[in-house]
Amino acid sequence: MAEIDLSAVFDALPVGCAVFTPDLRYVMVNCAYERLAGRSREQLIGRPFYEVFPGGPAGQGVAQVRASLERVVAERETDIMPLQRYDVEAADRPGVYQERYWSIRNAPLLGPDGAVTALLHRVEEVTSYIMQLRAARSGEAPSPEAQVEGVEAELFARTRELQEVNDRLHRARQDEHRAAAAMRDALRRQQQAVADTSHDLRGPLTGLQTRLQLALADPESDSRAILHAALDDAERLGDIVSDLLELARLEAGVPIRTGTVDLTRLVEDELAGREPGVALTARLESGVEVEGSAVRLARLLRNLVSNAERHAASRVEVLLAREGGQAVLRVVDDGPGIPPEEREAIFRRFYRRPDARAGEPEGTGLGLAIARQVAVAHRGTLAVADRPSGTCMVLRLPLCGS
């Protein structure tokens, strides 16, 4: 069997076909498309589709065709359009547009990696059919005219209905894709959480098991020292489990008792009860009130201040003020700071930077994750602000009445 020239087959197709780049520039057209467009391929190749065919003064059909082509690129699936009016400028009369009607099918051409490398635009003109329907109106007999008008009206009504149904189907598919992506993301986060939890629980569990085995194997060992070490491991396990339960409650949105919280007084009380290893100063605006749980906000504050103290070189500063309908709390330390690429990672459960693990090996790595979730539960945000040196944690909460 002789080898088939696929480019010749494409050119001989009786239906008008064009190939676009993903940004909708002509790559190829066949002879039938040249006849329908009234332009040679030299006039088309390399030019944007909407520059060649802007759709007439009123832009008839432009929005629908553009939406179809963009859907094909985004969803990588064929899109069949209902009967579409798309006027074409006469090649020999610039500024003069001819009323044209088309049946259009757009399809993606996928590369080996599944990405859209080009689009196939297939068009069939049905203008003559529409014009014949209109020409029949000039007949003398009234009944055929009424019949033709009814057929034309029915045709366009059904076409519009089909377009609306098609749009709804595409929106439903997009919603389905978003829901599937969200489920995949949730599953990935759940799997990562399980892996992280297993890793961090394994350390104290192994230590506890080792100490107990040592006590059983060596009756002359210092049982008191072993029990103290085992107690430390058990307390660390308890801290991890408590923090995990708190995170689970926060992420599940379990209702909590809320009320008006004087954030200024809460910060003052929390700082007064601390014994910091570095200089700790505060500048607090008076009477800053928010709606929330005083217990959880106090824990958020403790986590932020403790984190700042661990990393500070010599001082920590706590600032509280009203800014544009929000209570803004800043906790600043003069430590080494956090690289920009890690400023979101530190809020992930069990994430600990190497300096944090070295400075406090017994930490759980859950404090900042809990602080972020408490902020979100109070309709607020918690983030790391840009700063030339050190670290500045910024908590923003809506003021009472905001």
Side-chain angles (χ1 to χ4, degrees):
M1 180 177 177
E3 185 176 344
I4 297 176
D5 185 346
L6 295 181
S7 62
V9 173
F10 175 78
D11 211 34
L13 289 172
V15 178
C17 295
V19 178
F20 298 145
T21 61
D23 62 351
L24 307 184
R25 290 179 178 270
Y26 283 97
V27 177
M28 297 174 62
V29 296
N30 66 358
C31 293
Y33 192 92
E34 288 182 286
R35 290 193 296 271
L36 290 174
R39 289 162 176 77
S40 67
R41 61 190 65 190
E42 289 76 16
Q43 294 174 300
L44 298 172
I45 302 302
R47 296 182 63 190
F49 172 69
Y50 297 110
E51 179 183 301
V52 180
F53 299 116
Q60 292 97 337
V62 173
Q64 289 84 357
V65 175
R66 180 184 293 276
S68 172
L69 291 167
E70 289 175 349
R71 277 196 298 266
V72 173
V73 172
E75 300 177 8
R76 297 179 297 174
E77 294 182 1
T78 298
D79 188 67
I80 301 173
M81 301 187 67
L83 181 66
Q84 189 69 50
R85 176 177 173 178
Y86 202 112
D87 295 348
V88 176
E89 185 178 27
D92 56 347
R93 289 176 292 167
V96 177
Y97 287 84
Q98 301 169 336
E99 185 178 339
R100 307 280 281 276
Y101 293 86
W102 311 88
S103 173
I104 301 173
R105 177 192 292 259
N106 298 311
L109 297 176
L110 305 179
D113 60 352
V116 176
T117 58
L119 296 110
L120 182 62
H121 179 65
R122 195 204 74 177
V123 294
E124 294 181 80
E125 186 174 7
V126 293
T127 306
S128 60
Y129 172 66
I130 299 299
M131 296 307 175
Q132 287 174 8
L133 288 176
R134 290 183 176 174
R137 294 179 182 176
S138 59
E140 294 182 2
S143 54
E145 178 181 355
Q147 184 178 8
V148 167
E149 288 179 350
V151 170
E152 186 178 12
E154 183 70 13
L155 176 63
F156 278 103
R158 294 295 169 261
T159 296
R160 291 297 92 195
E161 290 175 3
L162 179 59
Q163 181 69 57
E164 291 172 2
V165 171
N166 198 26
D167 289 342
R168 287 199 296 271
L169 285 173
H170 281 295
R171 287 195 294 271
R173 184 179 301 160
Q174 289 172 350
D175 291 342
E176 181 182 347
H177 287 331
R178 283 193 291 268
M183 289 180 65
R184 286 194 298 270
D185 184 60
L187 178 60
R188 179 191 59 77
R189 287 188 284 108
Q190 184 182 43
Q191 291 171 335
Q192 185 62 48
V194 170
D196 291 342
T197 304
S198 300
H199 177 271
D200 276 72
L201 288 174
R202 189 177 297 117
L205 279 172
T206 301
L208 182 60
Q209 184 179 21
T210 301
R211 298 181 207 286
L212 294 176
Q213 287 174 343
L214 177 61
L216 290 172
D218 184 6
E220 297 181 1
S221 61
D222 186 349
S223 60
R224 188 174 182 81
I226 292 175
L227 288 173
H228 275 296
L231 180 61
D232 289 340
D233 289 332
E235 287 176 346
R236 175 165 163 71
L237 281 171
D239 290 342
I240 293 174
V241 171
S242 295
D243 284 349
L244 284 171
L245 289 172
E246 178 66 5
L247 265 177
R249 283 191 290 265
L250 287 165
E251 291 173 351
V254 176
I256 57 174
R257 182 175 298 177
T258 62
T260 300
V261 177
D262 187 330
L263 199 55
T264 304
R265 180 172 297 176
L266 185 145
V267 174
E268 290 173 341
D269 292 344
E270 179 60 30
L271 298 184
R274 300 188 69 84
E275 296 181 0
V278 296
L280 180 59
T281 60
R283 284 188 289 158
L284 312 176
E285 187 174 330
S286 62
V288 179
E289 294 184 339
V290 298
E291 187 75 20
S293 164
V295 172
R296 283 188 167 167
L297 289 174
R299 179 163 192 182
L300 183 158
L301 178 63
R302 283 195 298 274
N303 289 355
L304 294 185
V305 175
S306 297
N307 182 74
E309 289 175 351
R310 279 195 299 273
H311 298 285
S314 60
R315 61 184 178 83
V316 172
E317 188 174 19
V318 180
L319 311 171
L320 177 64
R322 296 180 181 85
E323 293 181 13
Q326 291 182 318
V328 181
L329 176 75
R330 292 178 172 88
V331 179
V332 185
D333 68 67
D334 61 349
I338 302 171
E341 64 272 15
E342 292 188 46
R343 290 179 183 173
E344 275 302 306
I346 62 170
F347 295 106
R348 295 203 305 260
R349 62 178 72 198
F350 296 115
Y351 182 89
R352 303 187 73 204
R353 300 181 61 216
D355 57 338
R357 289 188 181 275
E360 191 183 18
E362 68 276 8
T364 67
L366 294 169
L368 290 180
I370 290 174
R372 168 68 72 84
Q373 288 298 325
V374 171
V376 171
H378 287 76
R379 299 184 296 121
T381 61
L382 177 63
V384 181
D386 288 329
R387 185 176 172 82
S389 63
T391 301
C392 178
M393 294 280 186
V394 182
L395 169 69
R396 297 180 180 273
L397 298 173
L399 291 167
C400 281
S402 297

